[in-house]
Amino acid sequence: MIRSRDPRAPLAAAAAAGAAGFAAALLAGGPALLTGAIAGLFTALLAAVSLLVASVRQAGNRAATGARWMGGGAVVWAAGVGVRPAAESSSFGVSFADLLVLVGTVMLAGGALIAAGRGCPARVVFRQVTDSYLSAASLFLIGWVVTLRHVYADAADPAVFTFAMLPPMISLLVTCAIVPSVVTGRSNSWLLSLAGLGVLATTTVAEAGAAIARLDGSTPQVWSLMLAPVAFLLLAAVPWGRRVLESRSPLGPAVGNLVSMVPLALVAVATCTMLVHLAGGREREPVTGIVVLAASTVLLLIVRVFVLEGATMRLRRLVSLGDRQLRELAESTGDVVLRCDYDGIVREIGPGVEAMYGYRPEELVGGTIFDYIHPEDVPGIQAALRAMGLDDEGATPGACMLACRVRASDGTWRPTESVATWRVGGEEMLLVTTRDVSDEEALRNQVAHLTFHDGITGLPNRAYFEERTREVLSGRTAGHVAVIFLDLDGFTSVNDSVGHASGDYLLGQAARRLRGAVRPDDTLARWGGDEFAVLLETGGEAQLAVDLAERLVRAVSQEPFRVADRDVALTASVGVAFTEEEMPAGDLIRNADVAMARSKELGGRRVEVFAAQMHADVVRRLELAADLQRALIEQQFAIEYQPVVDLATSRVTAVEALVRWWRGSVFVPPEQFLGPAEDTGLIVPLSEWILRESCREVAAWRASSWDIGLSVNLSARQITAPRFVETVEEALTESGLPASALTLEVIEEMLVEDAEETIKRLTELRALGVRLAIDDFGTGYASLAFLRQLPVDMIKIDPSFVSGLGRDETLSLLTRTIVRLGHDLGLIVVAEGIERPEQLELLREMGCTRGQGFLVARPMAARGVDSLMRTSLTV
């Protein structure tokens, strides 16, 4: 019976035969060779596993890529070492195992290059290839003289020697090729690449030792067999060191320069070795291969010299081009470029000096730069040069900025800015680039002047005045410094009437007058708007400041200003403040401003000296204004109504709305808060609220069949406020109160100030049907004139006239005259402030039809008026 044959049997037999051959070869080499082969194989595989695992852990960076390449190279190298015993019987000089070892070596070199992070530009490749060849050839020639020539002599066939030494020589060439890149690497995985280089070096030595042992039939030395295992063990341990894959090279650029000189040094050593060897006569017949190798080395050196010379010439051309372009650039910018030594002797200077300073270059060469620098600037220039490190003990490289004044050929000193650089081009010379900054300096001065001076008057401005005040106050005794504030009364009307341009012209005239009134040492500044400030040192004599303040008032008001072909008369309000112990400049200026404001409140054209009470009043007014605003929001105000009666019948004909303010539980008199309300503008919303509330109340009373009118006082700000007439019309419409039942009262001063606009607004109100009354009649100075222009329905006699009835014949006569005048003009006459019975009787006798006062009826809340309406219509 015939059985089928297993197809895997030949493969198994071949594997068994190979394993037997491998074991036999190892055993034939002895215990040392067996130990070395196993150690090399095991450590190479261990390094491969370590590198591959580390590459996975550090995936994504250069170190991981280099580790993968080196791990793969270690695997291939281990495979070559593993199959080498079985391939030793090959008839070829280079076996398949040798090819695997070479491929592994190249992969290890590639991984080391990648980990080193150094690319190879095209211009560097030729140099590195030639350097590696020169290094490998030099080492081979040195080895030839020392050892290899004996091995060659003992070899049976020169071809056998050549093929045996070819793998280690290729490994040597690869190792020399990557040495410069690895040593000068700057990547974070530099230590890994260095370990790879160590493996290449040790395996190359081990391969050379093994080749020599094979040629002379001896057993390799134990140390040569253990080099590769030790190197692979180090390579396997490197990736697992602390931050090894992130380590940078500690070697500086100087080491790179030394590495570049190694090939030439090896060539020199090899040449000397060969000459000594040949001189000794020990070489009977030159070996063709050695002659070819030496000749190729010399030829490559010659090529390298020509290439180096070409590169040098190219660099010289680039340097020359750069120098020419630098000069052209400097000359095109208008700068002056010169070279001088440490003593300032000019060695070379550009032609731009003639256009900038008027000197011909040959006039300056050989002279010193310090002859043309301003004497005050020379010490500073010398100190700056010393700071660069320029001293007698030896100059050090550096650069600095220099600013000085340079004398031009016309004798003028021009500001310049220069950059001085030391040791330009390797020479111990100064390269100075100088630029004329006269225009920039003039612009800086102009900007500084505009920053601290007023553009309209040419006087110092507020910023300068504040800084100057702080400077003067430092170290001065209390009372020795004074500040004067001056405000032009009525200047706003000038801008409104003739325009802002004419107003600016008037300010210029005022500044000239004030400048003529102050002393030369005093500081006069425009504070802002129509305000001026003066800073003066009194030396302890306060009267000096007061006298100056009075002179300023006279300088402004002594004669009119001529503006836009018309004369404009102005006055001035002046405030004076004196410094006290440890008083800040800001407080002194504030005090003068407060005193000036007080002068303006008192009518202007006067001088007020600051007192502490003034500041307290200002603070109190500010607090009151804040409380007013809060009271308006929180509706803390109330309205009381004072009846106006027919003096003949005591019948109530109207009520006057009066505002009252209870700040918490404290009653605030109207005379204390109406002024601040007027100043801050809060009087406008307050008056609108009074108008709407009172119209609503009176309209409700009229709906109960009570024919009663309403009187409301107007303020100056309210009349000039936008939509004033519309606000009155809306209050009447919303409440339903007839326009004829509303009487709006104005005082005579309001008719005088901005008379045209005021009369226009009141005329529009009169057109709505609203009645108009002049309050406090008789206290002004333009009443009769405006009675003709304004359609007034009522005049109210000021309480100061009524108070003198029965006691002062003059006041009684004036009251009688006002009553008669009202009757003749067909106006209703109302007497205010009736407090005594005899006043009431005299007014009835004079024919005054209506009156109001505490004797007739006190102001009362709305519910009091309701009670009066229900009980009786008379008081």
Side-chain angles (χ1 to χ4, degrees):
M1 183 176 181
I2 301 175
R3 296 181 180 179
S4 61
R5 191 173 183 180
D6 189 353
R8 292 175 294 179
L11 296 177
F22 176 72
L26 289 178
L27 291 173
L33 181 61
L34 176 62
T35 303
I38 295 175
L41 179 64
F42 175 76
T43 54
L45 293 176
L46 178 63
V49 172
S50 174
L51 290 170
L52 292 175
V53 172
S55 67
V56 174
R57 188 185 63 175
Q58 298 284 337
N61 57 19
R62 184 182 300 274
T65 304
R68 278 195 297 272
W69 274 84
M70 284 191 283
V75 171
V76 175
W77 188 90
V81 171
V83 301
R84 175 172 287 168
E88 288 296 339
S89 61
S90 174
S91 60
F92 297 102
V94 178
S95 64
F96 177 71
D98 293 333
L99 292 178
L100 288 178
V101 171
L102 289 177
V103 171
T105 300
V106 172
M107 292 180 67
L108 284 168
L113 280 177
I114 294 173
R118 293 297 299 268
C120 292
R123 67 178 183 274
V124 180
V125 171
F126 176 78
R127 188 186 68 189
Q128 287 195 336
V129 170
T130 56
D131 285 350
S132 62
Y133 182 83
L134 291 175
S135 299
S138 299
L139 291 173
F140 183 82
L141 290 175
I142 295 171
W144 172 265
V145 173
V146 175
T147 302
L148 295 180
R149 61 189 177 90
H150 302 295
V151 178
Y152 177 79
D154 297 337
D157 186 358
V160 174
F161 176 85
T162 301
F163 283 110
M165 295 303 300
L166 186 60
M169 289 305 301
I170 294 176
S171 296
L172 178 63
L173 185 65
V174 172
T175 302
C176 292
I178 70 168
V179 167
S181 297
V182 172
V183 172
T184 60
R186 290 292 178 268
S187 72
N188 292 337
S189 54
W190 176 78
L191 194 58
L192 178 64
S193 64
L194 187 63
L197 177 61
V199 168
L200 289 174
T202 55
T203 55
T204 300
V205 173
E207 287 294 313
I212 293 172
R214 287 197 303 272
L215 288 172
D216 59 12
S218 62
T219 302
Q221 299 293 325
V222 176
W223 62 268
S224 65
L225 295 175
M226 298 309 297
L227 281 176
V230 171
F232 275 114
L233 283 177
L234 291 176
L235 182 61
V238 163
W240 304 99
R242 184 178 181 182
R243 304 183 65 85
V244 168
L245 295 183
E246 299 179 2
S247 59
R248 289 183 177 271
S249 171
L251 305 179
V255 176
N257 296 332
L258 291 176
V259 170
S260 64
M261 298 299 295
V262 168
L264 298 179
L266 290 176
V267 170
V269 173
T271 303
C272 294
T273 304
M274 289 299 296
L275 289 176
V276 171
H277 172 67
L278 295 175
R282 289 187 292 270
E283 191 73 30
R284 299 185 181 88
E285 182 178 350
V287 179
T288 304
I290 300 302
V291 173
V292 172
L293 184 63
S296 65
T297 302
V298 173
L299 181 61
L300 196 59
L301 275 175
I302 294 173
V303 174
R304 175 71 183 276
V305 169
F306 277 107
V307 172
L308 183 61
E309 182 63 24
T312 303
M313 293 177 63
R314 184 171 63 255
L315 289 176
R316 287 175 180 172
R317 286 195 301 270
L318 291 175
V319 171
S320 177
L321 177 62
D323 183 64
R324 185 172 66 255
Q325 290 177 342
L326 178 62
R327 291 176 181 272
E328 292 175 355
L329 178 62
E331 293 173 1
S332 66
T333 58
D335 297 346
V336 175
V337 181
L338 61 94
R339 289 195 309 143
C340 64
D341 57 20
Y342 174 62
D343 296 325
I345 305 300
V346 180
R347 302 302 183 186
E348 183 182 0
I349 191 168
V353 68
E354 185 171 3
M356 185 176 296
Y357 296 106
Y359 299 111
R360 293 194 303 274
E362 55 270 19
E363 295 178 11
L364 302 179
V365 174
T368 175
I369 60 175
F370 298 112
D371 292 341
Y372 301 91
I373 298 177
H374 197 283
E376 296 178 358
D377 299 336
V378 170
I381 298 297
Q382 294 175 339
L385 296 180
R386 284 194 298 271
M388 291 175 60
L390 311 182
D391 51 33
D392 297 336
E393 298 178 358
T396 58
C400 69
M401 292 286 298
L402 305 173
C404 62
R405 290 163 290 178
V406 174
R407 187 181 71 247
S409 60
D410 58 2
T412 59
W413 293 100
R414 301 185 184 179
T416 63
E417 290 181 355
S418 306
V419 177
T421 306
W422 189 250
R423 280 189 176 179
V424 177
E427 303 177 6
E428 291 194 0
M429 301 286 287
L430 271 175
L431 176 66
V432 182
T433 304
T434 301
R435 171 174 298 179
D436 187 348
V437 293
S438 299
D439 295 338
E440 290 87 341
E441 186 72 16
L443 181 61
R444 279 195 295 266
N445 293 336
Q446 182 179 1
V447 170
H449 179 82
L450 293 177
T451 302
F452 293 104
H453 287 77
D454 175 53
I456 296 175
T457 63
L459 296 175
N461 59 11
R462 176 174 179 171
Y464 179 89
F465 189 84
E466 290 176 337
E467 182 63 29
R468 177 62 179 163
T469 304
R470 284 191 290 268
E471 178 183 342
V472 171
L473 284 184
S474 60
R476 293 297 193 276
T477 306
H480 285 218
V481 178
V483 169
I484 300 175
F485 258 51
L486 180 144
D487 180 84
L488 299 178
D489 301 327
F491 178 77
T492 304
S493 61
V494 176
N495 280 336
D496 296 339
S497 59
V498 297
H500 287 273
S502 297
D504 293 344
Y505 179 70
L506 188 149
L507 287 174
Q509 295 184 57
R512 286 191 291 274
R513 290 190 188 182
L514 297 176
R515 192 183 290 113
V518 300
R519 301 176 303 176
D521 295 337
D522 299 336
T523 302
L524 171 65
R526 183 189 176 198
W527 186 255
D530 59 348
E531 295 181 1
F532 296 85
V534 181
L535 175 67
L536 70 155
E537 299 183 51
T538 63
E541 298 183 21
Q543 191 60 38
L544 286 176
V546 177
D547 293 343
L548 175 57
E550 292 176 349
R551 287 201 307 272
L552 295 176
V553 173
R554 291 193 296 270
V556 172
S557 59
Q558 65 184 358
E559 59 179 322
F561 294 91
R562 188 68 179 173
V563 179
D565 296 329
R566 68 180 71 178
D567 291 334
V568 177
L570 295 179
T571 60
S573 299
V574 180
V576 182
F578 297 95
T579 183
E580 299 176 3
E581 290 291 344
E582 303 297 330
M583 173 178 284
D587 291 353
L588 178 60
I589 295 173
R590 179 205 63 200
N591 294 345
D593 191 15
V594 170
M596 183 266 292
R598 179 62 176 170
S599 173
K600 204 170 188 65
E601 289 177 1
L602 297 177
R605 196 174 182 176
R606 60 186 294 150
V607 176
E608 284 291 324
V609 178
F610 175 81
Q613 183 61 32
M614 293 182 181
H615 181 244
D617 291 343
V618 171
V619 173
R620 187 161 48 251
R621 289 172 70 89
L622 290 174
E623 294 175 351
L624 186 62
D627 292 344
L628 272 172
Q629 190 169 16
R630 185 164 53 252
L632 193 60
I633 296 174
E634 298 176 358
Q635 298 182 353
Q636 298 178 4
F637 294 101
I639 300 177
E640 290 188 350
Y641 300 92
Q642 185 172 26
V644 178
V645 302
D646 187 325
L647 296 183
T649 63
S650 296
R651 181 178 177 275
V652 178
T653 60
V655 289
E656 180 179 358
L658 304 174
V659 65
R660 298 291 184 260
W661 180 23
W662 289 87
R663 184 161 54 175
S665 59
V666 179
F667 174 73
V668 183
E671 59 271 13
Q672 291 186 11
F673 69 84
L674 290 180
E678 182 80 17
D679 295 338
T680 58
L682 292 174
I683 193 68
V684 175
L686 178 60
S687 298
E688 291 180 2
W689 176 80
I690 295 172
L691 179 64
R692 294 179 187 275
E693 286 295 311
S694 58
C695 286
R696 183 180 58 80
E697 288 285 359
V698 174
W701 293 331
R702 290 179 64 88
S704 301
S705 302
W706 185 13
D707 186 13
I708 187 173
L710 171 65
S711 293
V712 179
N713 294 285
L714 297 180
S715 68
R717 278 194 181 241
Q718 187 181 11
I719 294 176
T720 57
R723 299 189 73 256
F724 165 63
V725 178
E726 291 84 350
T727 301
V728 175
E729 186 175 5
E730 291 172 0
L732 293 173
T733 302
E734 292 173 1
S735 63
L737 182 70
S740 58
L742 176 62
T743 302
L744 298 178
E745 302 179 8
V746 296
I747 59 175
E748 295 179 31
E749 287 79 0
M750 294 166 52
L751 301 176
V752 178
E753 297 178 4
D754 200 4
E756 184 177 350
E757 182 66 22
T758 301
I759 292 176
K760 176 184 176 183
R761 295 289 183 93
L762 295 179
T763 303
E764 293 176 4
L765 287 176
R766 192 66 180 83
L768 295 177
V770 176
R771 292 181 163 190
L772 300 178
I774 298 180
D775 197 10
D776 300 334
F777 187 81
T779 58
Y781 51 86
S783 300
L784 297 180
F786 284 102
L787 284 176
R788 180 177 57 84
Q789 300 179 29
L790 190 64
V792 178
D793 300 282
M794 180 186 302
I795 58 175
K796 302 183 75 172
I797 304 174
D798 189 75
S800 61
F801 293 98
V802 177
S803 64
L805 292 179
R807 297 179 178 178
D808 190 316
E809 295 181 0
T810 302
L811 292 177
S812 299
L813 178 60
L814 289 174
T815 304
R816 189 181 300 275
T817 302
I818 293 172
V819 173
R820 186 180 299 116
L821 175 64
H823 290 168
D824 292 343
L825 296 175
L827 304 176
I828 300 173
V829 180
V830 180
E832 295 183 291
I834 303 174
E835 298 181 353
R836 302 193 310 274
E838 61 268 25
Q839 295 171 346
L840 178 60
E841 293 300 325
L842 286 174
L843 288 170
R844 286 173 175 171
E845 179 188 341
M846 293 176 185
C848 183
T849 56
R850 298 184 184 179
Q852 63 184 107
F854 285 0
L855 178 66
V856 178
R858 290 179 175 273
M860 60 188 70
R863 59 179 178 272
V865 179
D866 289 337
S867 176
L868 178 65
M869 181 182 65
R870 287 191 298 269
T871 57
S872 173
L873 296 179
T874 60
V875 295

